[in-house]
């Protein structure tokens, strides 16, 4: 899916990207959400790491290549299973990756940046401008991009609210006037 460039998606500060995903395969860098042209105009990229069942999140401060990235080391994603995945970034804490409301162990590449590049690339869900190897192989649902780095508690609540609402919502006897 291609979402034309819009100022609301030119996020240069804190960001959260979240989605429900179900992978059919893990070959190549598969994009969940990206404002990322592999040759130039790179802002942010969230997907799975090349030929692995781990998540990766890139950000760029100059638009020409990734400046900073985090790769999960314990996501252990499997094909044919629905997962709630999320990536957050801010200039103080860097990037964080989550699976089913739980913060993952990560391995950084590069050093954190002070701002994300604001380019005019369109937002892509499930693809980049690259080759067919970057297309997401599976299904996505409930994709969200926000200009706030949501807390671990927020991410967990978002997962629990959708995965098992009865554990999230407490119902009681209605009050009478």
């Amino acid at each position: 899916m291609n979402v034309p460039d819009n100022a609301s998606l030119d996020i240069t500060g804190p960001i959260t990207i979240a989605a429900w995903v179900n992978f059919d395969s893990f070959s190549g860098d598969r994009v969940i959400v990206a404002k990322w042209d592999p040759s130039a105009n790179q802002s942010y990229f969230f997907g799975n790491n090349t030929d692995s069942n781990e998540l990766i999140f890139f950000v760029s401060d100059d638009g020409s290549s990734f400046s900073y990235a985090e790769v999960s080391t314990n996501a252990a994603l499997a094909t044919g299973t629905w997962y709630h995945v999320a990536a957050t970034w801010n200039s103080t804490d860097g990037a964080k990756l989550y699976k089913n409301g739980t913060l993952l162990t990560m391995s950084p590449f590069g050093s954190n940046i002070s701002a994300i590049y604001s380019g005019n690339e369109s937002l892509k869900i499930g693809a980049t401008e690259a080759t067919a190897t970057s297309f997401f192989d599976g299904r996505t649902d409930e994709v969200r991009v926000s200009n706030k780095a949501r807390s671990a508690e927020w991410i967990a609540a978002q997962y629990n609210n959708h995965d098992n609402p009865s554990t999230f919502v407490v119902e009681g006897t209605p009050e009478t006037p």
Side-chain angles (χ1 to χ4, degrees):
M1 174 181 283
N2 184 48
V3 180
D5 185 42
N6 183 290
S8 67
L9 298 171
D10 291 337
I11 300 170
T12 59
I15 188 170
T16 298
I17 301 171
W20 284 89
V21 296
N22 187 323
F23 293 92
D24 287 339
S25 78
F26 294 107
S27 61
D29 283 336
R30 301 297 179 158
V31 177
I32 298 170
V33 174
K35 266 188 72 101
W36 196 272
D37 178 336
S39 59
N41 209 13
Q42 302 170 350
S43 297
Y44 48 87
F45 174 111
F46 181 40
N48 78 280
N49 194 24
T50 302
D51 300 325
S52 79
N53 58 352
E54 298 296 336
L55 296 171
I56 191 161
F57 184 58
F58 299 126
V59 290
S60 176
D61 61 356
D62 65 5
S64 66
S65 66
F66 84 86
S67 307
Y68 170 68
E70 286 284 357
V71 179
S72 66
T73 59
N74 66 333
L77 301 166
T79 58
T81 302
W82 281 101
Y83 298 102
H84 181 263
V85 295
T88 65
W89 175 86
N90 69 45
S91 62
T92 304
D93 300 320
K96 296 181 181 177
L97 297 167
Y98 298 84
K99 178 185 90 174
N100 293 343
T102 302
L103 179 65
L104 297 170
T105 303
M106 295 164 293
S107 176
F109 293 90
S111 24
N112 198 11
I113 59 176
S114 60
I116 297 173
Y117 175 75
S118 175
N120 60 4
E121 180 67 20
S122 57
L123 180 93
K124 306 284 191 312
I125 299 173
T128 67
E129 297 295 333
T131 65
T133 61
S134 67
F135 289 112
F136 184 83
D137 188 16
R139 290 159 300 289
T140 59
D141 197 13
E142 300 284 335
V143 175
R144 291 182 171 88
V145 178
S146 83
N147 62 355
K148 298 188 181 333
R150 303 293 185 187
S151 68
E153 295 79 14
W154 178 284
I155 302 290
Q158 188 177 41
Y159 165 70
N160 289 325
N161 188 42
H162 285 81
D163 184 59
N164 191 354
S166 65
T167 63
F168 183 74
V169 177
V170 178
E171 297 181 34
T173 306
E175 293 182 10
T176 55

